């Protein structure tokens, strides 16, 4: 199953909104077929593994990281009938499919047909791999990761907004890889006005070549203050941008934005600001299952207060900036007591270059 999970991970960044799935066909201790799901509309991992195994699949064992599908509400045929036709004797599954159209049904059909079915082998690892897909299936909203590069004393930028570059080159290269793996990158208009980022995913030693896959760039801008010359509005033929705004934005400004090829999405307002729950609901409706937040303390605060962040990734540079007026990771007022502090769970740390990377989940 470990090898099947490694195969599944090869679909990182390309399978959305489908899950990442890997499969192996094993006979007498030898792998005779393997495959992984690459992108929507292409054959599922099980089908590819069975095709490679051919007639040798009869009487063999199928290892698969996600419960085989049995429904017709998708672009490709269900996998269960092909498994039965191939004469597979045993199926070992890492995790059930959280999709209500499948959830337990695929395994049940296989058992009724007389196959031995085992579910739960390396389940924790499989669930971690597909946590964005599972969250989207259960809630209809994307899985949100808040990412920040910061100093050791928790500062994102100086009082004047200068932040380039707090972290090292190795961290920045990893962030570009991270962008290629998510469906969307989200920032607030404040970040656009101060930093003028392009938010594209780039590759190469100097990060000067656009990656083949780009996340959708989303700016939360309730009054459309983003300049028409902003980098995030450029290259719409290669990297799409959505401006999330409210009815308070002037119609002439909306039209000017749209002429650049940018989509203007008008959403409900809450105290004059874009409703973030409404935005995430709309992104989920469009099939975006993962969002990377690269904003400043204001957007971070709004998302955290609404409990809309699920994962935090911090790139911590070995620097001390100091200053009460420097920009921190989270803005607003501090809670009165430590009992109100947000606690990260399942925390891991690792080094990237000279920086420390901290990952943790918010319940």
């Amino acid at each position: 199953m470990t090898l099947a999970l490694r195969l599944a991970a090869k679909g990182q960044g390309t399978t959305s909104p489908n899950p990442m799935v890997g499969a192996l066909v094993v006979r007498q201790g030898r792998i005779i077929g393997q495959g992984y799901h690459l992108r929507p509309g292409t054959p599922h991992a099980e089908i590819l593994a069975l095709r490679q195994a051919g007639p040798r699949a009869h009487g063999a064992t199928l290892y698969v990281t996600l419960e085989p599908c049995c429904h017709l509400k998708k672009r490709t045929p269900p996998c269960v009938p092909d498994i039965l036709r191939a004469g597979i004797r045993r199926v070992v599954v890492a995790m059930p499919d959280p999709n209500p159209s499948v959830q337990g049904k695929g395994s049940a059909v296989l058992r009724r047909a007389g196959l031995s079915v085992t579910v739960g082998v390396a389940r924790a690892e499989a669930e971690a791999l597909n946590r964005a897909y599972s969250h989207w299936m259960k809630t209809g909203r994307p899985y949100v990761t808040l990412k920040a590069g910061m100093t050791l004393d928790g500062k994102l930028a100086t009082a004047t907004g200068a932040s380039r570059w707090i972290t090292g080159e190795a961290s920045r290269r990893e962030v570009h890889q991270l962008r290629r793996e998510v469906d969307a990158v989200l920032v607030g208009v404040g970040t656009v006005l101060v930093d003028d980022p392009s938010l594209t995913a780039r590759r190469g030693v100097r990060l000067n070549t656009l990656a083949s896959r780009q996340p959708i760039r989303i700016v939360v801008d309730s009054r459309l203050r983003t300049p028409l010359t902003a980098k995030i509005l450029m290259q719409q033929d290669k990297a799409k941008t959505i401006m999330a705004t409210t009815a308070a934005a002037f119609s002439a400004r909306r039209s000017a934005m749209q002429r650049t090829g940018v989509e203007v999405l008008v959403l409900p307002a809450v105290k004059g600001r874009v409703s973030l729950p409404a935005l995430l609901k709309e992104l989920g409706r469009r099939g975006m299952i993962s969002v990377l937040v690269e904003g400043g303390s204001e957007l971070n605060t709004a998302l955290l207060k609404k409990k809309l962040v699920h994962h935090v990734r911090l790139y911590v540079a070995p620097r001390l900036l100091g200053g009460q007026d420097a920009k921190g990771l989270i803005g607003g007022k501090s809670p009165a007591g430590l009992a109100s502090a947000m606690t990260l769970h399942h925390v891991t740390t690792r080094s990237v270059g000279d920086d420390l990377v901290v990952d943790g989940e918010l319940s």
Side-chain angles (χ1 to χ4, degrees), residues 103-309:
Q103 206 167 37
K105 297 173 185 175
S107 297
V109 172
L110 293 171
R111 287 192 179 104
R112 285 198 298 270
L115 277 69
S116 170
V117 180
T118 302
V119 180
V121 176
R123 179 168 180 165
E125 294 87 341
E127 288 178 342
L129 184 66
N130 276 312
R131 59 191 174 188
Y133 168 75
S134 294
H135 177 81
W136 177 65
M137 269 294 164
K138 293 171 183 175
T139 68
R141 298 189 305 274
Y143 186 87
V144 176
T145 296
L146 188 154
K147 186 279 299 179
M150 56 191 281
T151 61
L152 200 56
D153 54 342
K155 307 300 184 181
L156 300 182
T158 66
T160 61
S163 62
R164 294 183 179 176
W165 297 101
I166 286 178
T167 55
E169 286 187 17
S171 290
R172 295 198 294 275
R173 281 197 296 270
E174 187 171 292
V175 169
H176 281 277
Q177 173 63 35
L178 189 57
R179 286 178 187 169
R180 295 201 294 270
E181 295 174 355
V182 298
D183 294 326
V185 174
L186 178 68
V187 296
V189 63
T191 296
V192 174
L193 294 175
V194 173
D195 293 341
D196 192 23
S198 65
L199 293 182
T200 51
R202 299 186 295 278
R203 56 184 178 83
V205 177
R206 297 184 181 180
L207 296 176
N208 54 4
T209 304
L210 280 179
S212 57
R213 184 182 188 272
Q214 294 291 326
I216 293 177
R217 302 173 290 179
I218 302 171
V219 182
V220 181
D221 185 353
S222 58
R223 294 181 177 273
L224 290 184
R225 293 187 291 139
T226 298
L228 294 176
T229 55
K231 291 178 183 175
I232 205 164
L233 303 184
M234 304 297 113
Q235 298 176 299
Q236 289 303 302
D237 57 328
K238 297 182 178 68
K240 297 296 183 183
T241 300
I242 296 175
M243 302 297 298
T245 190
T246 68
F250 291 121
S251 58
R253 191 70 178 164
R254 288 187 226 165
S255 298
M257 286 279 182
Q258 289 168 332
R259 283 195 293 272
T260 69
V262 169
E263 178 182 358
V264 178
L265 178 61
V266 180
L267 293 163
V270 177
K271 295 182 180 180
R273 297 175 181 267
V274 172
S275 168
L276 296 174
L279 170 59
L280 292 175
K281 183 178 180 180
E282 175 60 20
L283 298 183
R285 189 190 68 79
R286 295 179 179 212
M288 297 183 209
I289 70 173
S290 57
V291 171
L292 181 66
V293 178
E294 295 198 50
S297 58
E298 189 173 333
L299 180 61
N300 293 346
T301 302
L303 288 163
L304 288 165
K305 281 187 174 180
K306 291 288 186 181
K307 297 184 177 180
L308 297 173
V309 175

